[in-house]
Amino acid sequence: MFTKNKTNVCKGIGILFLLFHHLFRTPTMILNNNVDFGSMNIDTINIFATSLRVCVWIFAFLLAYGLAFKYKRTPKEKRHSFVPTQWLNLMKPFWFIFIIAVGVFVFSGHSIVAKYSGNFLFAVFDFFAVADFFGTPKLLGVFWYMFFAQLVVFALPVLYKFCEKFGYLTILFSFFFMFFLNDGISTVNGGPYLEYLIVIILGILFAQKDVMNRLAAKSRGVAFKCLMFFLFLAIAAGAMYLREMIIPDDTLHLRGLCSAVAASSICISFGVYFNLKFLCAPLEFLGKYSGGMFIIHSMLYSMVPAFVYISPNPVLVYLILIGESLVITMAIFFVKKLIRYDKLFDLISSGFQKLPRLLLADKAE
């Protein structure tokens, strides 16, 4: 069954893809940091690293799937508090890491004043991860995803109703919807946000129709699971290949469609049919801490690259970044638990849940 453990396995795959993508996605990053791939062609490495950007679609799919699954199980009389509660759950770990990122940025010799052009409001926008909306500076490029994730949280109830009403036709409607719009919100770090609409719709539909668990229930025997595992991986590889072949002027957002197919196929492969315990266990462990690693690894290779690129060996550099970002994220988890950081936000969350009832009571009076 597609349990939380299986979700973490998929997140583990996603974070491994993300770290490789960020380390080796351009020739400049490889050459400037003296990474030696030996006889391997650097352009080939760059193409492979770029294709692993499908990791973002994996996280987006799992985000939409998880939110839709929670929304599905939330009684209708309690859905009024769903968005504020989920928004707070999304932001509270980000704010803790944001403070750490500011500290590392300053202590690594950078000017926080210069970063935000001397405008305190720009720092506030970044703290709430809405810099992309206002077009203001971000401390780290990966912060774009936090704004995107907030949009998904806010739009979830509406998108859920559309998917509930139209089923898989929502995918077709979304495709035509994108065709008549420009890119809308876009960032150099994440590209046009519209490219992720299809994968969000897929995540919601999969949750509504319980696709993952239904596939798991129909799987019979090791041979069948192996066949389906490699079949969906082949579909993912084919979709990623097509994505790289599409011309840059992608007015139809076909790149996003290909990435959505690849991401959902990867999640099916590893979330449903992959059951090798000796590999699932470490992937699940990485997935548990993937949210923190998502930001921490970017902080390391961009702010203090000397602590990451300490060897010309690409395998060692990759393992170092995995290890450092994992250990730091685990330490953050420990400190948050030690100071009972989450307890405070649990109280705030409960306040959010009570607020609508209090307002309704005031109106009734």
Side-chain angles (χ1 to χ4, degrees):
M1 304 299 283
F2 193 65
T3 60
K4 184 177 181 179
N5 293 342
K6 282 292 189 177
T7 302
N8 282 335
V9 169
C10 297
K11 288 181 179 179
I13 291 293
I15 202 65
L16 289 177
F17 282 9
L18 182 66
L19 268 60
F20 192 95
H21 164 66
H22 278 165
L23 278 176
F24 309 121
R25 67 185 183 276
T26 67
T28 302
M29 294 184 71
I30 293 173
L31 296 174
N32 286 356
N33 292 289
N34 301 312
V35 180
D36 183 12
F37 278 91
S39 60
M40 297 182 69
N41 187 283
I42 291 182
D43 290 335
T44 303
I45 297 297
N46 295 150
I47 292 172
F48 177 69
T50 301
S51 68
L52 291 185
R53 189 169 171 267
V54 72
C55 58
V56 182
W57 278 264
I58 292 175
F59 287 118
F61 174 84
L62 295 172
L63 171 67
Y65 183 96
L67 287 172
F69 190 77
K70 290 177 183 177
Y71 193 76
K72 180 181 178 181
R73 299 182 66 179
T74 301
K76 289 186 177 180
E77 63 272 14
K78 293 184 178 181
R79 286 182 175 178
H80 58 265
S81 63
F82 181 85
V83 169
T85 300
Q86 295 306 317
W87 176 80
L88 196 59
N89 288 338
L90 174 72
M91 297 304 293
K92 65 182 180 182
F94 170 74
W95 287 327
F96 194 90
I97 294 178
F98 180 87
I99 300 301
I100 294 173
V102 169
V104 173
F105 187 80
V106 171
F107 284 111
S108 60
H110 300 88
S111 170
I112 198 70
V113 175
K115 183 66 179 180
Y116 294 120
S117 304
N119 193 322
F120 178 73
L121 192 58
F122 290 175
V124 174
F125 290 159
D126 208 17
F127 180 76
F128 284 98
V130 294
D132 274 356
F133 182 78
F134 294 101
T136 54
K138 298 188 294 288
L139 191 65
L140 288 171
V142 293
F143 285 178
W144 78 267
Y145 183 80
M146 294 304 301
F147 179 52
F148 168 75
Q150 289 180 79
L151 292 181
V152 176
V153 170
F154 293 135
L156 192 281
V158 175
L159 294 177
Y160 189 94
K161 288 183 179 179
F162 268 98
C163 291
E164 199 171 40
K165 184 175 180 62
F166 298 107
Y168 289 111
L169 282 175
T170 313
I171 300 172
L172 184 62
F173 294 155
S174 300
F175 188 76
F176 284 112
F177 174 75
M178 292 190 297
F179 180 73
F180 290 106
L181 293 177
N182 58 23
D183 285 344
I185 299 174
S186 184
T187 173
V188 67
N189 308 109
Y193 281 30
L194 272 179
E195 281 201 355
Y196 304 93
L197 178 59
I198 297 297
V199 81
I200 295 301
I201 297 299
L202 279 176
I204 294 171
L205 288 169
F206 273 41
Q208 286 180 341
K209 299 180 181 300
D210 204 22
V211 171
M212 307 296 263
N213 288 326
R214 288 168 62 188
L215 288 174
K218 291 180 180 179
S219 61
R220 299 182 180 88
V222 175
F224 178 80
K225 290 180 179 179
C226 287
L227 176 64
M228 297 304 291
F229 172 76
F230 287 110
L231 173 63
F232 279 102
L233 276 190
I235 293 172
M240 290 162 70
Y241 176 78
L242 285 175
R243 183 187 187 281
E244 296 306 314
M245 294 299 105
I246 294 173
I247 59 174
D249 187 19
D250 181 24
T251 56
L252 294 178
H253 295 284
L254 293 174
R255 289 172 177 266
L257 177 62
C258 290
S259 297
V261 171
S264 55
S265 297
I266 290 169
C267 287
I268 291 172
S269 286
F270 286 93
V272 175
Y273 298 112
F274 189 73
N275 291 307
L276 296 178
K277 291 184 179 180
F278 72 97
L279 290 177
C280 281
L283 287 173
E284 182 186 336
F285 188 77
L286 284 175
K288 179 181 177 181
Y289 296 102
S290 60
M293 293 175 68
F294 194 105
I295 298 176
I296 293 298
H297 88 278
S298 180
M299 183 176 67
L300 290 171
Y301 82 81
S302 63
M303 294 183 185
V304 284
F307 288 93
V308 177
Y309 295 99
I310 64 175
S311 167
N313 188 309
V315 176
L316 184 58
V317 169
Y318 182 49
L319 291 176
I320 286 170
L321 184 58
I322 293 172
E324 289 177 347
S325 55
L326 175 60
V327 169
I328 293 172
T329 302
M330 290 174 67
I332 290 172
F333 268 64
F334 175 76
V335 172
K336 283 169 59 182
K337 186 176 181 180
L338 189 67
I339 65 175
R340 300 189 177 186
Y341 175 81
D342 289 337
K343 292 289 183 181
L344 171 63
F345 285 95
D346 287 341
L347 292 174
I348 297 174
S349 179
S350 64
F352 270 124
Q353 294 176 21
K354 293 176 182 178
L355 182 60
R357 290 197 293 271
L358 293 172
L359 292 174
L360 289 173
D362 288 340
K363 287 182 179 179
E365 292 176 359

